[in-house]
Amino acid sequence: MLKAAIDTDTFRETIDVIAALVTECRMHIGEDGLKTRAVDTANVAMISLDLSKEAFSSFVATECDLGIDIAKMKSIIGMMGKGDELTLELPEGGNKMEMVFSGYQYSVTLLDGNTIRKDPQLPNIDLPAKIRISGAAINDGIKAASVISDKIALGVDAASGIFYMEAEGDSDHIRLERGSDILISLEPSDVRSLFSLDYLRDMGKVMARADVVEVQIGNDHPVRVSFDFADGHGHVDFLLAPRIEAD
Amino acid sequence: MLKAAIDTDTFRETIDVIAALVTECRMHIGEDGLKTRAVDTANVAMISLDLSKEAFSSFVATECDLGIDIAKMKSIIGMMGKGDELTLELPEGGNKMEMVFSGYQYSVTLLDGNTIRKDPQLPNIDLPAKIRISGAAINDGIKAASVISDKIALGVDAASGIFYMEAEGDSDHIRLERGSDILISLEPSDVRSLFSLDYLRDMGKVMARADVVEVQIGNDHPVRVSFDFADGHGHVDFLLAPRIEAD
Amino acid sequence: MLKAAIDTDTFRETIDVIAALVTECRMHIGEDGLKTRAVDTANVAMISLDLSKEAFSSFVATECDLGIDIAKMKSIIGMMGKGDELTLELPEGGNKMEMVFSGYQYSVTLLDGNTIRKDPQLPNIDLPAKIRISGAAINDGIKAASVISDKIALGVDAASGIFYMEAEGDSDHIRLERGSDILISLEPSDVRSLFSLDYLRDMGKVMARADVVEVQIGNDHPVRVSFDFADGHGHVDFLLAPRIEAD
């Protein structure tokens, strides 16, 4: 059972973050809010997202799982105005969720939870370097690398205290360095891992809205990207597996 | 014969309204202004448009019919600035209309009127419910319904004084209700008819500019949509045939 | 050898002008700046562009030729902010140019100069009519003509002191006249030549930014279009061959 109200901007932000990775997900509703854990079809990227009940203007719920068609939700948020209120209502045991906003009554049939991939376990990995930086600064590097390559290396040079993003094209090379003037904080370690831009491009777009993004990097290890949204009432972790660096 | 001047914004509005339904039309010029009656190729929708000579800054004409290529007119209005003046000139018996605006002299060969479909008769139908509402409010409902379906029901609930727009998708349902807080006026009657969104989407875009749109609805009957444009010197009626509601 | 700094807006303008005609070019670097002479693949249009060292905030160079992939440069300028500084560095005998701007280090492999077409000679032609006009006024005429045709005539009517642009569609005709109220200057002569809009459309877009464009026209002769950019430190000549006017 779920009966909640939330401003449309926060709802839109939540859907946009999930949409960066998956087209459907299982949303776990509990007394304290909602959470989702999802992995993309190729098993390369994971998302863990939490939105606490404080993000809602009202929130009453018993435990349940909602099968959400994220692509359809993207169309629906396209109709919502800015600063409207959205109410969500799902009766006990029901599979049609009512969404009401500015005179619209939208009845959405939920997906069957059994058809959605099982929740992944977020692995516990030790990633020695940790930087904090604005999301826009990372997104700029991702966009620049995309021009010449489909892969990007993220790394830290401990001695100079530099976080770098680097890409190698057929004939060109690009390197973007961010030092203490731009980094919010740095726990240095000499690390470097290579990632597919296919995934990072979509993640970069949603990161770009966050003032502070925490990036944890290892050597040929996954990267973990974490940031808050919904005025601190929401939190997301992305985990992206590395690509092997060809010699 | 026609010799007239009109501001380019009014001319653009006129062409846009006609373009919502047809790609060519026969324009009847008379001493008092112009009018056009056209039906789309599938015989599903009709337009009746009048623009009085008061909409023009100057207007001298004898009776004649102009075969207008609306698609070409759309390209031409794309060149016009805002607030310019357009002069139209067609000699007696001529088939090339001169259009002059801001240094441009455009000579357009008119279509042969015999190749354009005959003017339709606007049927006289009794449609018991009549609402008046802003065009933007209707267009919002049309856009929302388009997300989940290719058909939309328009209806009035007499008891509650509600005008509603409703669409049924494969698994979803959307309903937009407009009550006395948004309706400008309502002549209630319990009615409901179903329409193709293919047509309403284009009509919705031109309606959206009108502050007041009059909508007349019956039971499984055509809908009639009427509104003024050109500061009240123009008037348009759209008539759209219903779709059969499948059970 | 080249070691120079330039503001990104001036660099973007330079690349845009060249990109109107060719996708790669040979840039000649000398002590006083750079220049390029290029002809399009169909031998219909030529560009001659000069950018003096005064356009740069610093400029140290020995003579060398750079093979520039203009399409790639368009992607790179897409990453540059407004009002940033770009530094260019090419070591003696090197073939990788370093481009550094706002934290980015871009290493671009230059094209092999031998694979690029030889520099054309700009022919010395006597074109009797010369007008000076804003680039935007020409671009407007080019856009208007494109709606109905793929060719445009440029001409001067000496008696009335009019510069005209004229196009003939299958059934329509458009003529744009510019007289002494809009022309900056006119050296009159009765001339008229026909040109392909394929070329003029791209040229028109870059011309549109210039306050003053000099256009030299003859009878069935090429047109020469010249204008300054980069605050007068850059100059470009376009030369476009005429089309034969079919009777």
Side-chain angles (χ1 to χ4, degrees):
Chain A
M1 187 276 287
L2 170 67
K3 198 170 157 67
I6 189 168
D7 76 274
T8 49
D9 296 330
T10 306
F11 187 76
R12 177 182 293 115
E13 221 179 337
T14 307
I15 297 299
D16 281 347
V17 168
I18 301 173
L21 220 63
V22 290
T23 56
E24 53 182 45
C25 73
R26 196 185 291 107
M27 242 178 219
H28 307 285
I29 307 294
E31 285 179 21
D32 299 329
L34 65 83
K35 65 179 180 184
T36 196
R37 307 273 176 275
V39 61
D40 84 291
T41 44
N43 284 317
V44 170
M46 273 181 206
I47 181 174
S48 165
L49 174 143
D50 291 86
L51 188 65
S52 82
K53 61 183 288 187
E54 278 74 31
F56 294 78
S57 45
S58 73
F59 189 89
V60 181
T62 55
E63 284 203 4
C64 60
D65 282 3
L66 313 186
I68 303 288
D69 181 335
I70 292 294
K72 185 190 293 174
M73 283 295 151
K74 290 278 284 182
S75 310
I76 298 176
I77 59 182
M79 300 173 215
M80 297 179 184
K82 271 187 166 293
D84 280 350
E85 189 167 76
L86 164 72
T87 66
L88 300 168
E89 192 160 353
L90 180 74
E92 191 67 46
N95 82 325
K96 279 179 184 291
M97 183 167 67
E98 295 292 320
M99 300 178 66
V100 176
F101 53 98
S102 46
Y104 292 100
Q105 293 164 30
Y106 217 117
S107 165
V108 180
T109 302
L110 298 174
L111 301 179
D112 180 352
N114 296 318
T115 66
I116 301 177
R117 299 189 64 166
K118 284 224 178 89
D119 281 21
Q121 284 294 91
L122 270 120
N124 205 343
I125 324 168
D126 188 41
L127 298 165
K130 186 191 292 185
I131 62 142
R132 295 201 304 151
I133 189 171
S134 80
I138 299 204
N139 192 36
D140 282 352
I142 291 169
K143 285 192 292 182
S146 300
V147 172
I148 61 161
S149 182
D150 58 355
K151 295 189 287 290
I152 189 173
L154 305 182
V156 170
D157 182 64
S160 59
I162 292 280
F163 163 62
Y164 64 82
M165 309 173 80
E166 211 168 21
E168 196 73 44
D170 286 339
S171 58
D172 305 339
H173 180 91
I174 188 168
R175 181 178 167 102
L176 176 60
E177 301 192 335
R178 297 305 191 192
S180 55
D181 53 330
I182 288 180
L183 296 177
I184 300 164
S185 71
L186 172 70
E187 290 178 25
S189 177
D190 282 317
V191 293
R192 176 192 168 94
S193 297
L194 191 72
F195 302 98
S196 162
L197 281 162
D198 276 350
Y199 290 88
L200 274 173
R201 255 194 307 267
D202 289 338
M203 293 181 188
K205 278 175 214 161
V206 297
M207 276 185 235
R209 300 173 205 165
D211 291 335
V212 184
V213 173
E214 188 179 277
V215 185
Q216 288 174 269
I217 311 170
N219 269 312
D220 294 325
H221 262 65
V223 64
R224 180 192 294 265
V225 175
S226 312
F227 57 94
D228 289 344
F229 66 99
D231 288 330
H233 299 306
H235 183 80
V236 62
D237 287 280
F238 284 129
L239 198 75
L240 178 64
R243 295 271 305 254
I244 302 306
E245 194 136 12
D247 289 325
Chain B
M1 185 277 288
L2 170 67
K3 197 169 157 67
I6 189 167
D7 76 274
T8 49
D9 297 329
T10 305
F11 187 75
R12 178 183 290 118
E13 222 179 336
T14 307
I15 297 298
D16 281 346
V17 169
I18 302 173
L21 220 62
V22 290
T23 56
E24 53 182 47
C25 73
R26 194 184 296 106
M27 243 179 219
H28 306 285
I29 307 293
E31 284 180 21
D32 299 327
L34 63 86
K35 65 179 178 183
T36 195
R37 307 275 177 272
V39 61
D40 83 291
T41 43
N43 284 317
V44 171
M46 273 180 205
I47 182 174
S48 164
L49 175 143
D50 291 87
L51 188 66
S52 81
K53 62 183 288 191
E54 279 74 33
F56 295 77
S57 45
S58 72
F59 188 90
V60 181
T62 55
E63 284 203 8
C64 57
D65 282 2
L66 314 185
I68 303 287
D69 181 336
I70 292 294
K72 185 191 291 174
M73 282 295 153
K74 290 279 283 183
S75 311
I76 298 176
I77 59 181
M79 298 173 214
M80 297 178 183
K82 271 188 165 295
D84 279 352
E85 191 168 77
L86 164 72
T87 66
L88 300 168
E89 191 160 353
L90 180 75
E92 191 67 45
N95 80 328
K96 281 178 184 290
M97 182 168 67
E98 294 291 320
M99 301 176 66
V100 176
F101 52 97
S102 46
Y104 291 99
Q105 292 166 31
Y106 216 118
S107 164
V108 180
T109 303
L110 298 174
L111 300 179
D112 179 351
N114 297 319
T115 67
I116 302 178
R117 299 189 64 166
K118 282 222 178 91
D119 280 21
Q121 285 293 92
L122 269 120
N124 206 343
I125 325 169
D126 188 40
L127 298 165
K130 187 192 292 186
I131 62 144
R132 295 200 305 150
I133 189 172
S134 81
I138 299 204
N139 192 36
D140 282 353
I142 291 170
K143 284 192 293 180
S146 300
V147 171
I148 61 162
S149 183
D150 58 356
K151 295 190 285 293
I152 188 171
L154 305 182
V156 169
D157 182 63
S160 59
I162 291 280
F163 163 62
Y164 64 83
M165 310 174 79
E166 211 167 22
E168 196 72 46
D170 287 338
S171 59
D172 304 341
H173 181 90
I174 188 168
R175 182 179 166 100
L176 176 59
E177 300 192 337
R178 298 302 193 193
S180 56
D181 53 330
I182 290 180
L183 295 178
I184 298 163
S185 71
L186 171 70
E187 290 178 24
S189 177
D190 282 315
V191 294
R192 176 192 168 94
S193 297
L194 192 71
F195 302 98
S196 163
L197 281 163
D198 275 352
Y199 291 87
L200 275 173
R201 255 195 307 268
D202 289 339
M203 292 180 186
K205 278 175 212 158
V206 297
M207 275 184 235
R209 300 174 204 162
D211 291 335
V212 184
V213 173
E214 189 179 276
V215 185
Q216 288 173 269
I217 311 171
N219 270 312
D220 294 324
H221 263 65
V223 63
R224 181 193 294 265
V225 176
S226 313
F227 56 95
D228 288 344
F229 66 100
D231 289 330
H233 299 306
H235 183 80
V236 62
D237 287 281
F238 285 129
L239 199 73
L240 178 63
R243 295 270 304 254
I244 303 306
E245 194 136 12
D247 289 325
Chain C
M1 186 278 289
L2 169 67
K3 197 169 158 65
I6 189 168
D7 76 275
T8 49
D9 296 330
T10 305
F11 187 75
R12 176 181 295 117
E13 221 179 338
T14 308
I15 297 298
D16 281 347
V17 169
I18 301 172
L21 221 63
V22 289
T23 57
E24 53 182 47
C25 73
R26 194 185 293 105
M27 240 177 220
H28 306 286
I29 307 294
E31 282 178 23
D32 299 327
L34 64 84
K35 64 178 179 185
T36 195
R37 306 275 176 273
V39 62
D40 85 292
T41 43
N43 284 316
V44 172
M46 273 182 204
I47 181 174
S48 164
L49 175 144
D50 291 86
L51 189 65
S52 82
K53 62 183 287 189
E54 278 73 31
F56 295 78
S57 45
S58 73
F59 188 90
V60 181
T62 54
E63 283 201 7
C64 57
D65 282 3
L66 314 185
I68 302 289
D69 181 336
I70 292 293
K72 184 190 292 175
M73 282 295 153
K74 289 279 284 182
S75 311
I76 297 176
I77 61 182
M79 298 173 215
M80 296 178 184
K82 271 190 164 293
D84 279 350
E85 189 168 78
L86 163 72
T87 66
L88 301 167
E89 192 163 352
L90 180 75
E92 190 67 46
N95 81 325
K96 279 179 184 294
M97 182 167 67
E98 293 292 319
M99 301 177 66
V100 176
F101 53 98
S102 47
Y104 291 98
Q105 293 166 30
Y106 217 118
S107 165
V108 180
T109 302
L110 298 175
L111 300 178
D112 181 351
N114 296 320
T115 67
I116 301 176
R117 300 189 63 166
K118 284 221 177 92
D119 280 20
Q121 285 293 92
L122 270 122
N124 207 343
I125 323 168
D126 187 40
L127 298 165
K130 186 191 292 186
I131 64 141
R132 295 200 306 150
I133 190 172
S134 80
I138 298 205
N139 193 36
D140 282 352
I142 291 171
K143 285 192 293 182
S146 300
V147 171
I148 61 162
S149 183
D150 58 353
K151 296 190 286 291
I152 189 172
L154 305 182
V156 170
D157 182 64
S160 59
I162 291 279
F163 163 62
Y164 62 84
M165 310 173 79
E166 211 167 21
E168 196 71 45
D170 286 339
S171 59
D172 305 339
H173 180 90
I174 187 167
R175 181 178 166 103
L176 178 59
E177 301 191 334
R178 299 302 192 194
S180 57
D181 53 331
I182 289 180
L183 295 177
I184 299 164
S185 71
L186 171 70
E187 291 179 22
S189 176
D190 281 317
V191 293
R192 176 191 168 95
S193 297
L194 192 71
F195 302 98
S196 164
L197 281 163
D198 276 350
Y199 290 88
L200 275 173
R201 255 195 307 269
D202 290 337
M203 291 180 187
K205 279 176 212 158
V206 298
M207 274 185 235
R209 301 174 203 161
D211 291 335
V212 184
V213 173
E214 188 178 278
V215 185
Q216 288 174 269
I217 311 172
N219 269 314
D220 295 324
H221 262 64
V223 63
R224 180 192 295 264
V225 176
S226 313
F227 55 95
D228 289 344
F229 66 100
D231 289 329
H233 299 307
H235 183 80
V236 61
D237 288 280
F238 284 129
L239 198 75
L240 178 64
R243 295 269 305 255
I244 302 306
E245 196 138 7
D247 288 324

